[in-house]
Amino acid sequence: MSALSKMRANLFSAANENTLALANLKFDFSLLKVEAPTEFSGLGNALSKRRKVEAEDGPQHKTARKLSALFEQLVPSTPELIKAYGLRSSEIIQMNAINPVGTPKDGPFESFVGVDGTAIWAAATSGIPALGVYLLACLLARAWDAKEATSIWVELVEQRRKEIEYGLENCHTVSESSRFSIFQDIERSDLACWDASARAWLQSADQAKIKEQTQLMLVVKNVQLPFDGGASTYSKVIDAWRHAMSGLENLLCGRAQIISSRAVLLAFSAWHVYPDLIVLGKDAIKVPFEDLCVNPGGVGTIALGPRSDSSFEGTSWSLALSHLRYYGDPITVRSHTDLSRVNIDQLHIVALGSLFSHWDVSQRDLSAAAQWLVDLWGLVSVNGEVCSLKTVEGLDWLQDLAHAASQVVSPRIDERQEALQLLGYGQRRAKRFFGVSERKLEPFFGLAYTPVLAALSEEDNEMRGLVYLRTLAEDYRFRPGDAVIVIEAKPLAASPWFLCEFTTAVAHSCASRKRDLDGEVLSEDVHVTWRYVTDKSRKSSTANSEALPSHIDGGPRLASLHEWETFPEKRARRFADVNPPWMEGEQKILNWPNAPALFSEPHNAESAQSCKICAGSSCCGRPTLPNECPDAADKRPPHRVTDCIFWLVNKVGHFSLFRKLSAEPYEIDRWKAGTSSQQLRVAKIKPKILAAYLQYVVHPTMEEHRDGCFQIPYEHYADRHKQNPATEPKRRTSKRSDQSPTLSYTIHQVKMSSHGLALTRQDDPDDWNIDYVREIAREYQGSSRRANALRALGFATQVYRQLDGATISLKVVASSLDEAPWLDPSLRKAHFRLEEVGGQLFPALIPQRMPRENALSCIAHFESGTLYIPPEDFGETLAIASGNSIFVISEVVSDPFDSVDNAHVKRIIGNIGRPGISILIAPISPRIRAPANEYNVVNHFTYDGKRENNFVATSLHLSFTDWKIPLESPGAASRTIDQDAYFIESVISVLDSGRWVADLDILCIDFHELVKLESNGECTVHGRRQPEHDYTSIDNWEELLDGPEAVGIFRAHDNWAARLAAVSILCQKGQGHSIGILGPRAFCLECLSQEYSKDGLRAHESPLPSICID
């Protein structure tokens, strides 16, 4: 080594020693703060006080400074990008709808309200390099979930330190800040919070720029461009970040660019800057965004290349993460193709896509299928109300799907394109959303099938069952002699006899009594019904006419009828000597010895018309022999007498369709025909019938209360039958004492009078009380899993309708909703009651609401997309904080007098600055300040009747203890270092002029048991004289903690926070039974005392509760 080389080495060694010595100085450069660029001033002014302090002096500022120093030499110079991002950030945060200001109405969450721009302002006050690093945070938050992004940050920090150390060892140029940075610790928890702030900002900015984001996604999802390559995770991420910043800088400077890296497109979305684009495909299409932050000359050109596979979804970024788990080899993960979030209406479109995938709807039929759903809802609903029934909640799922379908066929091109993309996403990616089952989900709820439409069009209940099987036989292309319908034997009232019936499945041609102009006999298509009466089951036919009841005509045992009350046919005829059929093989085989000629030989119109004397009757009775009809001997061939054997094809209620063994049903694709809206309209099905059918189809596990039949309140039946007590059936009392008595009600009582028969079915709900709408619907019900998933979506919609602006992770559609733990057994069953419409009873779904714990579990699931937390774990939950939302149970931010639904949850725009989903739970046994040992702080003046707010300085505040428990979702595939959710012990404190009074346990309040005091009107009598009872004013917290002897009036009028705090404190002290809540209306204590008067009181002692909260 030369002397010069040795000298350089010594100098470098001395420099290293000096650097190491400097590192030992107690100097924390992360506390340094610089002035933010002018473009970010709007952001800083709009930040809440709490967030601004955190950004300038808190952990976020330290993280920004440390990362800035670590990566400053890698951040490219992009002045126009920094300027544009500052303007865009300031523009977004100044939108009132996106960044509301906290008010006292938000209670303890007031300081947490608003957009989380903490990390942006922390970066802006830490220098230009910090802003570049923050843009990297937005890129990672857009492409990866929180756990993966945090792991990437840990790896970047580690590799960057090694890179700096290598540079120092090899005489590379290293800035002073970078030298110091390798000795600064950056905790994983700090990186997680840094990512969480960027992630929350993205959610808010996406909502602010929803139009531009939607337009951009329409382009990006159809483009297949690679990410920048690299040998390691570190190089891949750094190269993509630098390429994105440089590319966007050129566009902002007005230089047109050919976009070759997908990182640039990702940057458009993550940084919310939108240059105009030219997309080159079959045609060159310009996509104008007209973004004022972009120079007009900055146009990006994208070439649409061929897709490598049909499952291509856009962004695909593959990295190997070595800091994701505690143990194991590095995990290769791919960036999520779509971490974008959707609102509940957009989720319905994705769900519709899932439904269409189960229905096998092709791409060319998407619009037609969507229009069919829209028309279906139009037929069921009348001015938005379901056929005048109280069943809107029973068909709310259909209304939601129909609204989603209307977006698919929207006349607005941009709206339709977005809906089609969501629909396609559901078809490809949400196949499991409605459950996985071996049983196929019947397309179009069975309403595309001609037999269903024909049956539901019938007015008569039982005729629906018959028409269904007859139309089914026609669809199977059965000939008249190929099939017969067997009607279940009916017991005759007050007798041991049974009426057995058979009818044709396919109409056959028969000579009529009419002739044409030439005198030729005309033919017509007719149905025939055969009957016989027996004293035993159908398997035996030993009955004789002498033993028949007196009210039954003692004619032949078997009759063939063309016309009767329930099954109106065209004629009625009798034929003797026809043997009745009998069934065997568990009633799946029908044996008909010496069957009518219709079944014993091929039937055609010519043979029916050939016999002028029998006029076609021979086909309905025993086969006619030639010598029995002299005139027909030379006109028709002899009939062959045979026994016919039939095989069961289908059964609906009391009707069974049998086919001859020689007749094979025609294989048809029943869903290809009848799917048009026109056929649905032509069917002219009554809305109430259609609504009942749809309810049955989607609720295979529906409950009809108990005892296997519908039940209606006893009073309802008594009102309808009070003029005829004899018709009142036996009263049935429910086993539960909290329910009103109910009774079974037979809907259909059919009387038949043909040929002197007067038959009344027995009043047995398990016998003949069959609803054929329901019976037909059973043929097309999906599996219970799919029904549960549809119910779960309905309940989730119920929850999210009250959360204005809340969004949902699209990852939720990757798993089945029926597996969600928040859909507990009580919610999986649909309960119906009977509603009377037009003198008839129809099923109406009894509305159900999810309990509070289930609603919170649902929110956690939809926020994360993957998190399954049992509802019982939310028993002590006050709120859930995730992304840019805080979901608070309404009782925490409501006046105790208000009637708030226990399950109601309120969404507050904001967050608590923690990663993942934070489940805020109350501490055990919150503390209350002990009464002061000073006599002069409690006055307890006599109440003067004035309604005042003497607790103006009272406020509620939220703080957190160090108790935090990570929560791993059941069934998690790997033990990752970071978790999706955490239980955070959260304390709601009440302060008076900044002085602590108590920590509240609002969940201990039984709001339903609170006594609410309210007068019917203002009193004009008692106010003129001295009150008869003693009342004491409570005008400060010390007077409440050291309560009065007489009834106290807590004077915090129109101050819900102080009133809620007082109720909570009293309940925590075990005095919840002695609280009365006064409402906003004027009141008179003496009048209230008279209403609540009780015996055993001392003189001047008021009967009102001990503490009345005004």
Side-chain angles (χ1 to χ4, degrees):
M1 179 181 293
S2 64
L4 180 60
S5 299
K6 291 181 179 179
M7 182 180 298
R8 288 176 178 172
N10 290 334
L11 288 174
F12 177 71
S13 175
N16 278 344
E17 291 174 1
N18 290 335
T19 301
L20 294 175
L22 286 172
N24 292 326
L25 294 176
K26 294 182 178 180
F27 172 70
D28 189 356
F29 71 92
S30 66
L31 296 178
L32 293 177
K33 182 170 60 176
V34 300
E35 185 177 353
T38 306
E39 294 78 15
F40 289 84
S41 59
L43 174 76
N45 295 333
L47 274 181
S48 67
K49 180 179 179 181
R50 175 183 166 276
R51 288 199 172 92
K52 197 166 185 178
V53 170
E54 167 73 12
E56 294 179 355
D57 303 307
Q60 287 281 27
H61 182 80
K62 294 181 180 180
T63 301
R65 284 288 299 150
K66 292 175 182 179
L67 292 175
S68 173
L70 196 63
F71 290 94
E72 69 173 355
Q73 288 186 277
L74 301 180
V75 179
S77 176
T78 55
E80 292 300 319
L81 175 58
I82 298 301
K83 177 181 177 181
Y85 192 73
L87 293 174
R88 181 52 39 82
S89 301
S90 298
E91 173 194 342
I92 290 173
I93 203 169
Q94 290 175 7
M95 297 180 181
N96 293 332
I98 301 298
N99 185 38
V101 178
T103 66
K105 292 183 179 180
D106 299 308
F109 299 93
E110 179 180 355
S111 62
F112 298 92
V113 174
V115 170
D116 186 358
T118 309
I120 304 179
W121 188 245
T125 56
S126 297
I128 298 299
L131 286 168
V133 177
Y134 177 77
L135 293 178
L136 172 58
C138 292
L139 280 180
L140 297 180
R142 176 66 80 196
W144 305 89
D145 67 24
K147 293 189 294 186
E148 293 165 346
T150 301
S151 301
I152 293 172
W153 271 115
V154 173
E155 190 145 344
L156 293 179
V157 169
E158 181 181 291
Q159 294 301 320
R160 177 57 183 158
R161 280 176 173 164
K162 291 180 179 180
E163 190 175 58
I164 293 174
E165 291 174 358
Y166 179 82
L168 290 173
E169 292 174 359
N170 292 273
C171 300
H172 295 169
T173 302
V174 179
S175 68
E176 289 297 325
S177 297
S178 297
R179 292 180 184 181
F180 280 112
S181 68
I182 62 175
F183 302 105
Q184 295 286 329
D185 291 331
I186 305 179
E187 299 293 337
R188 187 185 187 102
S189 58
D190 294 333
L191 293 173
C193 291
W194 174 257
D195 172 77
S197 181
R199 200 170 293 274
W201 170 261
L202 286 183
Q203 288 189 20
S204 298
D206 286 347
Q207 291 176 321
K209 292 294 179 180
I210 186 171
K211 179 181 177 181
E212 292 83 353
Q213 284 291 104
T214 301
Q215 189 176 3
L216 178 64
M217 289 300 104
L218 291 174
V219 176
V220 170
K221 289 186 177 181
N222 291 312
V223 174
Q224 186 172 10
L225 292 176
F227 276 96
D228 301 86
S232 64
T233 295
Y234 175 77
S235 61
K236 288 180 181 179
V237 173
I238 296 300
D239 289 348
W241 165 50
R242 289 168 57 85
H243 193 161
M245 289 189 68
S246 300
L248 196 49
E249 175 71 12
N250 288 331
L251 290 170
L252 291 170
C253 290
R255 293 188 286 268
Q257 297 284 301
I258 296 178
I259 300 174
S260 59
S261 172
R262 192 164 194 87
V264 179
L265 299 180
L266 186 65
F268 295 163
S269 170
W271 302 338
H272 300 92
V273 178
Y274 308 99
D276 292 348
L277 299 175
I278 296 177
V279 182
L280 301 179
K282 293 182 179 180
D283 299 311
I285 302 175
K286 184 173 182 180
V287 183
F289 287 93
E290 301 178 354
D291 191 337
L292 297 179
C293 292
V294 183
N295 190 300
V299 179
T301 302
I302 308 173
L304 289 179
R307 294 185 177 184
S308 59
D309 56 77
S310 59
S311 62
F312 169 72
E313 289 289 346
T315 307
S316 179
W317 199 356
S318 179
L319 300 177
L321 303 184
S322 57
H323 294 273
L324 185 62
R325 299 185 303 184
Y326 286 105
Y327 174 79
D329 296 327
I331 302 175
T332 300
V333 294
R334 297 182 66 183
S335 62
H336 300 281
T337 57
D338 206 337
L339 278 180
S340 61
R341 302 173 67 84
V342 295
N343 57 37
I344 190 64
D345 291 324
Q346 292 172 321
L347 182 66
H348 290 153
I349 303 178
V350 177
L352 182 63
S354 175
L355 190 65
F356 282 179
S357 71
H358 287 288
W359 287 356
D360 294 329
V361 177
S362 64
Q363 291 295 315
R364 68 177 63 184
D365 295 330
L366 288 178
S367 296
Q371 187 61 52
W372 184 90
L373 266 177
V374 174
D375 292 341
L376 176 64
W377 174 248
L379 291 175
V380 172
S381 64
V382 179
N383 297 325
E385 297 293 327
V386 179
C387 61
S388 73
L389 287 175
K390 298 176 181 178
T391 57
V392 176
E393 295 196 32
L395 291 175
D396 53 0
W397 58 271
L398 178 60
Q399 184 177 14
D400 294 333
L401 291 179
H403 181 264
S406 69
Q407 306 301 302
V408 178
V409 294
S410 171
R412 293 179 51 187
I413 297 177
D414 55 344
E415 189 176 89
R416 185 170 66 250
Q417 285 181 336
E418 180 188 8
L420 285 172
Q421 281 207 328
L422 291 167
L423 191 75
Y425 187 91
Q427 284 187 294
R428 298 187 306 271
R429 307 290 298 279
K431 295 183 182 297
R432 293 175 52 89
F433 194 50
F434 283 123
V436 178
S437 174
E438 296 180 356
R439 182 172 181 178
K440 184 178 176 62
L441 186 62
E442 301 295 351
F444 301 97
F445 313 112
L447 290 172
Y449 195 23
T450 307
V452 176
L453 295 177
L456 297 181
S457 301
E458 291 294 328
E459 293 288 339
D460 182 79
N461 178 53
E462 291 197 355
M463 199 64 187
R464 295 185 187 114
L466 181 62
V467 169
Y468 175 78
L469 291 184
R470 282 179 172 173
T471 313
L472 182 64
E474 292 177 1
D475 274 16
Y476 281 145
R477 298 189 182 180
F478 287 150
R479 295 173 299 178
D482 288 342
V484 65
I485 294 175
V486 178
I487 306 171
E488 189 173 321
K490 307 177 183 68
L492 303 184
S495 75
W497 301 96
F498 290 85
L499 176 67
C500 301
E501 299 166 282
F502 305 85
T503 187
T504 51
V506 180
H508 62 282
S509 181
C510 185
S512 70
R513 297 176 181 178
K514 298 180 180 180
R515 297 176 181 270
D516 60 14
L517 296 177
D518 297 329
E520 295 293 329
V521 177
L522 299 176
S523 63
E524 60 181 340
D525 292 336
V526 297
H527 280 287
V528 180
T529 300
W530 295 269
R531 290 181 176 177
Y532 71 94
V533 177
T534 178
D535 58 347
K536 295 184 180 180
S537 66
R538 180 174 279 124
K539 296 181 180 180
S540 173
S541 57
T542 59
N544 54 77
S545 59
E546 289 77 11
L548 291 176
S550 58
H551 65 276
I552 297 179
D553 187 3
R557 289 185 302 150
L558 184 64
S560 74
L561 308 176
H562 284 280
E563 184 177 346
W564 62 299
E565 186 172 328
T566 304
F567 306 117
E569 312 292 1
K570 293 196 175 181
R571 295 193 202 166
R573 297 181 182 275
R574 291 170 175 267
F575 298 92
D577 303 326
V578 177
N579 296 324
W582 52 278
M583 288 187 289
E584 59 183 354
E586 297 182 355
Q587 298 190 348
K588 292 184 178 180
I589 299 177
L590 179 71
N591 192 336
W592 198 341
N594 194 22
L598 177 65
F599 303 105
S600 61
E601 67 171 348
H603 181 79
N604 53 61
E606 294 181 359
S607 62
Q609 297 182 18
S610 60
C611 181
K612 305 301 182 181
I613 296 177
C614 297
S617 62
S618 60
C619 64
C620 305
R622 176 179 62 82
T624 306
L625 300 179
N627 57 4
E628 294 178 338
C629 184
D631 295 341
D634 58 344
K635 299 180 181 179
R636 58 183 300 176
H639 293 275
R640 181 167 50 89
V641 179
T642 59
D643 295 346
C644 290
I645 299 178
F646 298 83
W647 183 262
L648 180 65
V649 176
N650 203 328
K651 186 178 188 301
V652 176
H654 302 306
F655 300 91
S656 300
L657 175 64
F658 285 83
R659 67 172 174 85
K660 289 169 61 175
L661 292 180
S662 59
E664 290 295 333
Y666 176 75
E667 294 294 335
I668 60 173
D669 186 356
R670 60 187 184 184
W671 306 119
K672 292 302 181 183
T675 58
S676 69
S677 302
Q678 180 65 23
Q679 271 196 300
L680 190 61
R681 288 192 291 267
V682 169
K684 294 182 179 179
I685 306 172
K686 289 186 176 181
K688 58 188 177 184
I689 299 297
L690 197 55
Y693 171 84
L694 290 168
Q695 286 178 342
Y696 290 140
V697 165
V698 299
H699 298 297
T701 57
M702 66 181 179
E703 289 287 324
E704 301 170 303
H705 294 277
R706 279 176 275 282
D707 304 316
C709 63
F710 283 116
Q711 293 185 347
I712 57 177
Y714 177 81
E715 293 77 13
H716 175 74
Y717 188 93
D719 289 342
R720 295 183 60 202
H721 298 272
K722 58 186 177 182
Q723 295 180 352
N724 186 11
T727 63
E728 183 175 321
K730 183 179 179 179
R731 187 169 178 172
R732 181 175 298 166
T733 305
S734 172
K735 296 178 181 178
R736 292 179 58 179
S737 59
D738 58 343
Q739 293 185 349
S740 60
T742 57
L743 52 89
S744 298
Y745 180 66
T746 303
I747 301 178
H748 306 286
Q749 293 180 338
V750 182
K751 296 181 180 180
M752 296 171 283
S753 58
S754 298
H755 292 282
L757 301 181
L759 311 176
T760 303
R761 295 172 178 171
Q762 295 178 348
D763 188 10
D764 184 354
D766 295 324
D767 188 6
W768 288 99
N769 183 19
I770 292 292
D771 181 358
Y772 278 91
V773 174
R774 179 180 181 183
E775 290 297 307
I776 295 170
R778 282 178 174 172
E779 295 283 314
Y780 307 97
Q781 285 174 340
S783 68
S784 59
R785 293 193 62 182
R786 291 196 175 104
N788 290 336
L790 195 58
R791 286 181 60 74
L793 181 60
F795 282 121
T797 302
Q798 189 182 99
V799 171
Y800 270 81
R801 287 294 183 214
Q802 64 189 4
L803 305 176
D804 185 34
T807 57
I808 300 164
S809 171
L810 266 179
K811 291 191 291 184
V812 75
V813 303
S815 56
S816 176
L817 272 185
D818 79 296
E819 299 174 354
W822 47 267
L823 190 71
D824 57 32
S826 65
L827 299 175
R828 291 177 183 268
K829 294 181 180 179
H831 297 267
F832 285 78
R833 64 173 177 267
L834 294 179
E835 293 282 353
E836 184 176 5
V837 179
Q840 299 183 51
L841 296 176
F842 290 89
L845 188 69
I846 298 176
Q848 289 177 275
R849 293 191 64 83
M850 284 205 300
R852 180 182 65 204
E853 294 81 1
N854 297 66
L856 293 173
S857 177
C858 172
I859 291 172
H861 179 203
F862 276 43
E863 272 294 303
S864 65
T866 58
L867 200 59
Y868 284 171
I869 305 177
E872 52 267 23
D873 289 347
F874 290 92
E876 301 298 323
T877 300
L878 298 168
I880 295 175
S882 174
N884 66 340
S885 302
I886 304 175
F887 304 97
V888 187
I889 62 173
S890 295
E891 293 167 338
V892 174
V893 288
S894 301
D895 189 279
F897 185 84
D898 296 338
S899 297
V900 179
D901 186 355
N902 177 262
H904 192 271
V905 180
K906 177 183 178 181
R907 175 181 179 253
I908 295 176
I909 298 175
N911 70 1
I912 63 172
R914 301 206 176 202
I917 295 177
S918 298
I919 303 172
L920 311 186
I921 62 173
I924 300 175
S925 302
R927 300 174 302 137
I928 300 175
R929 187 177 77 196
N933 294 321
E934 301 177 14
Y935 69 91
N936 58 351
V937 296
V938 176
N939 295 311
H940 285 163
F941 293 118
T942 300
Y943 180 60
D944 57 7
K946 295 181 180 179
R947 308 191 72 175
E948 300 175 349
N949 177 19
N950 295 321
F951 293 84
V952 178
T954 293
S955 57
L956 303 180
H957 299 266
L958 178 67
S959 61
F960 310 103
T961 69
D962 293 332
W963 188 88
K964 180 177 74 170
I965 299 295
L967 185 65
E968 186 174 41
S969 177
S974 60
R975 298 175 180 175
T976 56
I977 299 175
D978 303 290
Q979 300 301 328
D980 292 314
Y982 299 85
F983 284 119
I984 308 292
E985 189 173 55
S986 309
V987 183
I988 296 178
S989 302
V990 54
L991 303 184
D992 183 44
S993 299
R995 184 188 177 196
W996 177 75
V997 177
D999 297 331
L1000 305 182
D1001 185 8
I1002 298 174
L1003 295 180
C1004 76
I1005 305 172
D1006 189 346
F1007 288 90
H1008 296 288
E1009 295 298 325
L1010 289 178
V1011 177
K1012 297 181 180 180
L1013 307 173
E1014 193 168 23
S1015 296
N1016 295 327
E1018 187 173 356
C1019 176
T1020 58
V1021 177
H1022 296 102
R1024 300 176 182 177
R1025 60 174 184 262
Q1026 187 71 18
E1028 299 179 4
H1029 304 97
D1030 293 335
Y1031 298 101
T1032 301
S1033 295
I1034 299 177
D1035 295 327
N1036 60 56
W1037 288 105
E1038 202 63 43
E1039 293 182 350
L1040 178 70
L1041 297 176
D1042 190 2
E1045 291 294 325
V1047 171
I1049 308 299
F1050 184 86
R1051 297 205 289 182
H1053 183 61
D1054 203 25
N1055 185 342
W1056 72 267
R1059 286 159 57 90
L1060 179 64
V1063 172
S1064 178
I1065 290 173
L1066 292 172
C1067 289
Q1068 290 169 232
K1069 296 175 68 176
Q1071 301 175 20
H1073 61 282
S1074 62
I1075 304 174
I1077 311 295
L1078 292 165
R1081 294 171 54 183
F1083 63 88
C1084 170
L1085 289 176
E1086 295 303 316
C1087 293
L1088 289 174
S1089 298
Q1090 292 178 4
E1091 295 180 18
Y1092 287 86
S1093 61
K1094 60 181 73 172
D1095 298 330
L1097 298 176
R1098 295 174 295 179
H1100 307 297
E1101 183 180 358
S1102 173
L1104 294 180
S1106 301
I1107 303 293
C1108 295
I1109 309 296
D1110 182 16

